[in-house]
């Protein structure tokens, strides 16, 4: 079965098939209005969402399908202690495809391990958000026209920002991509992203302290919110929350062709005086999210009929039951019955990484 848990579950060809289909949907909406007639999408949202859940709902409705699910896990049997694995087995009786958002990192992997229908990761903690990545790529395609040879600045919370992690992974498939990381010391990109993605795939990156010093070099400025809900210490959040604020004055340093993306929601990091600037693409980006999710749902339901289309959830060289994950938010530490699974690291260190969340063992 083909699932979408991480951007790397898609080959470059598959990724471009989805983007191309989204572009065709934009031009020929009526042609796709019955593609999912009789099919049901289950939206299982254990964490708040506006864009992702509602764009999945709108996408399935525009494809002629139906939607069921929950937007607050407290109103489901999760509140009685039901595991992610059992919930998935139950939903398999009712739906044809699942979109899951969860605060536990690796939850979508566990769901896919227990599913006979495609599972889409709609965000798992601070780990991964592959459908936001498809949204971002469609936006870059429509606004900039290419993925190769772009210079992209990621600004804000690069530690907990799952959209940043997923987009860098996807861009690592392209050549000539330059990544500039603009973050305070406390919110720098995690080591596994630098070692296993940037170094491994030759993505050129550098870390800087201010957006002003690189603004004129950028094709894309990808702003992010500092994610209050991921901090264990509120004082630490207060120290970093307003570190970077993009306003009309700073935007004067940018080229006319630069585009500003943001997965949204924003808090303070983009002043509203930027919104009317044609370079502000973040609300256009939201609409692209619906079109690309239409394309994804249609493709995954088509691929579900093709036995050659599979997602490798557990690598052949995985080690079972030997290590404990150091990440407190990993599903292997939060739910019973989740087997410890580690794979060799991809950085020649001789170490291991958790299959669910990519953290190191304790
Ligand atoms: N971009 C994004 O994931 O937004 P929501 O949290 O509103 O779904």
């Amino acid at each position: 079965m083909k699932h979408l848990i991480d951007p790397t579950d898609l080959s470059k060809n598959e990724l471009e098939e989805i983007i191309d289909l989204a572009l065709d949907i934009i031009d020929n909406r009526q042609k796709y209005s019955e593609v999912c007639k009789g099919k049901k999408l289950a939206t299982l949202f254990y964490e708040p969402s506006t864009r992702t859940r509602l764009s999945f709902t709108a996408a399935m409705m525009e494809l002629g399908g139906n939607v069921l699910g929950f937007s607050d896990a407290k109103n489901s049997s999760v509140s009685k202690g039901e595991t992610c694995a059992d919930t998935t087995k139950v939903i398999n009786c009712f739906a044809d495809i699942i979109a899951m958002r969860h605060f536990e990192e690796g939850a979508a992997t566990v769901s896919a391990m227990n599913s006979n229908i495609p599972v889409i990761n709609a965000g798992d903690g601070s780990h991964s958000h592959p459908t936001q990545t498809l949204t971002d790529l469609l936006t870059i395609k429509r606004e900039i026209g290419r993925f190769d040879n772009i210079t992209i600045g990621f600004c804000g919370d690069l530690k907990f920002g799952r959209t940043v992690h997923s987009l860098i992974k996807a861009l690592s498939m392209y050549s000539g991509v330059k990544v500039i990381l603009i973050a305070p010391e406390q919110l720098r990109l995690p080591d596994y992203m630098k070692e296993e993605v940037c170094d491994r795939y030759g993505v050129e990156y550098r870390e800087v302290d201010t957006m002003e010093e690189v603004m004129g070099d950028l094709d894309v400025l990808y702003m992010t919110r500092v994610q209050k809900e991921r901090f264990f210490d509120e004082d630490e959040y207060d120290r970093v929350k307003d570190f970077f604020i993009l306003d009309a004055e700073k935007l004067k340093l940018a080229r006319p062709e630069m585009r500003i993306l943001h997965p949204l929601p924003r808090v303070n990091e983009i002043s509203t005086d930027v919104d009317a600037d044609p370079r502000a693409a973040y609300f256009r980006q939201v609409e692209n999210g619906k079109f690309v999710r239409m394309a994804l749902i249609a493709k995954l339901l088509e691929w579900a009929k093709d036995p050659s289309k599979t997602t490798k959830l557990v690598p052949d060289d995985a080690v079972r039951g030997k290590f404990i994950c150091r990440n407190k938010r990993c599903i292997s530490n939060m739910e019973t019955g989740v087997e410890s699974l580690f794979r060799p690291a991809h950085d020649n260190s001789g170490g291991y990484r958790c299959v669910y969340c990519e953290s190191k063992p304790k």
Side-chain angles (χ1 to χ4, degrees):
M1 180 62 59
K2 187 83 179 170
H3 306 281
L4 179 59
I5 309 302
D6 188 87
T8 54
D9 293 332
L10 297 172
S11 67
K12 194 172 170 184
N13 277 347
E14 288 167 343
L15 191 149
E16 290 178 0
E17 256 185 76
I18 293 168
I19 298 292
D20 288 346
L21 179 58
L23 291 169
D24 196 54
I25 289 170
I26 291 167
D27 289 339
N28 303 287
R29 302 271 283 276
Q30 198 53 38
K31 188 169 122 191
Y32 295 93
S33 63
E34 297 201 346
V35 162
C36 287
K37 198 172 172 187
K39 297 288 183 190
K40 292 190 281 293
L41 165 73
T43 54
L44 311 182
F45 276 60
Y46 295 72
E47 213 185 37
S49 167
T50 298
R51 276 144 294 274
T52 310
R53 189 174 67 82
L54 295 180
S55 65
F56 264 118
T57 303
M60 194 55 167
M61 289 164 84
E62 288 205 24
L63 291 167
N66 288 301
V67 183
L68 67 163
F70 53 78
S71 58
D72 181 351
K74 287 201 285 296
N75 294 331
S76 76
S77 285
V78 174
S79 61
K80 301 171 201 162
E82 188 160 65
T83 61
C84 181
D86 281 0
T87 301
T88 301
K89 288 177 192 161
V90 169
I91 300 301
N92 267 242
C93 303
F94 306 140
D96 302 285
I97 184 165
I98 291 172
M100 173 184 283
R101 168 167 293 187
H102 211 302
F103 50 88
E104 294 170 359
E105 295 172 20
T109 303
V110 170
S111 178
M113 286 170 169
N114 289 279
S115 185
N116 296 316
I117 59 176
V119 174
I120 301 169
N121 181 5
D124 62 327
S126 58
H127 180 227
S128 192
H129 193 349
T131 67
Q132 181 63 47
T133 298
L134 294 173
T135 302
D136 301 338
L137 291 174
L138 179 60
T139 306
I140 292 171
K141 184 80 175 177
R142 295 185 80 191
E143 301 278 339
I144 307 280
R146 65 180 195 283
F147 301 133
D148 289 313
N149 301 311
I150 62 165
T151 300
I152 178 165
F154 289 95
C155 181
D157 184 349
L158 312 189
K159 178 179 179 186
F160 298 119
R162 58 193 175 194
T163 67
V164 172
H165 308 162
S166 291
L167 183 53
I168 293 175
K169 281 183 182 176
L171 288 173
S172 74
M173 292 190 235
Y174 292 88
S175 60
V177 173
K178 291 185 187 152
V179 167
I180 302 180
L181 305 167
I182 313 159
E185 184 72 38
Q186 302 92 319
L187 296 178
R188 293 244 163 116
L189 195 70
D191 287 349
Y192 83 87
M193 284 297 305
K194 292 179 188 164
E195 293 159 8
E196 296 212 314
V197 182
C198 297
D199 293 344
R200 186 178 182 204
Y201 295 107
V203 177
E204 191 181 318
Y205 73 91
R206 65 189 165 108
E207 296 183 305
V208 299
D209 296 324
T210 66
M211 65 171 93
E212 290 91 323
E213 68 194 273
V214 293
M215 191 76 90
D217 302 333
L218 301 177
D219 297 305
V220 176
L221 174 59
Y222 194 99
M223 295 295 296
T224 61
R225 173 179 68 93
V226 177
Q227 307 214 356
K228 185 176 184 182
E229 66 274 26
R230 312 281 179 221
F231 282 74
F232 289 116
D233 175 355
E234 193 147 336
D235 291 341
E236 184 71 4
Y237 168 74
D238 286 336
R239 276 193 286 279
V240 293
K241 66 179 182 190
D242 290 329
F243 224 88
F244 298 108
I245 298 176
L246 176 65
D247 57 23
E249 193 56 33
K250 290 190 188 116
L251 198 52
K252 286 181 184 160
L253 299 167
R255 289 185 290 117
E257 320 78 65
M258 190 193 82
R259 290 293 179 269
I260 306 156
L261 271 63
H262 190 313
L264 303 179
R266 73 171 149 192
V267 185
N268 276 334
E269 61 279 0
I270 302 181
S271 165
T272 51
D273 66 8
V274 172
D275 293 358
D277 191 294
R279 290 169 289 190
Y282 32 91
F283 289 113
R284 299 193 289 277
Q285 189 180 356
V286 173
E287 194 180 19
N288 288 331
K290 180 186 71 177
F291 295 126
V292 92
R293 289 181 176 103
M294 288 174 76
L296 176 66
I297 292 166
K299 277 286 164 200
L300 284 178
L301 288 173
E302 179 193 318
W303 290 339
K305 293 181 238 153
D306 178 352
S308 74
K309 289 279 187 188
T310 56
T311 300
K312 189 97 182 152
L313 296 168
V314 183
D316 292 334
D317 51 2
V319 176
R320 295 175 183 272
K322 185 172 171 191
F323 303 113
I324 294 172
C325 184
R326 67 165 61 168
N327 175 9
K328 287 185 212 161
R329 294 190 175 99
C330 178
I331 192 164
S332 65
N333 287 322
M334 295 185 84
E335 292 202 4
T336 54
V338 177
E339 185 182 27
S340 155
L341 281 172
F342 280 77
R343 57 156 176 84
H346 298 144
D347 55 11
N348 301 322
S349 63
Y352 288 85
R353 294 277 179 182
C354 178
V355 166
Y356 306 105
C357 73
E358 302 180 74
S359 298
K360 291 178 178 168
K362 269 186 189 161

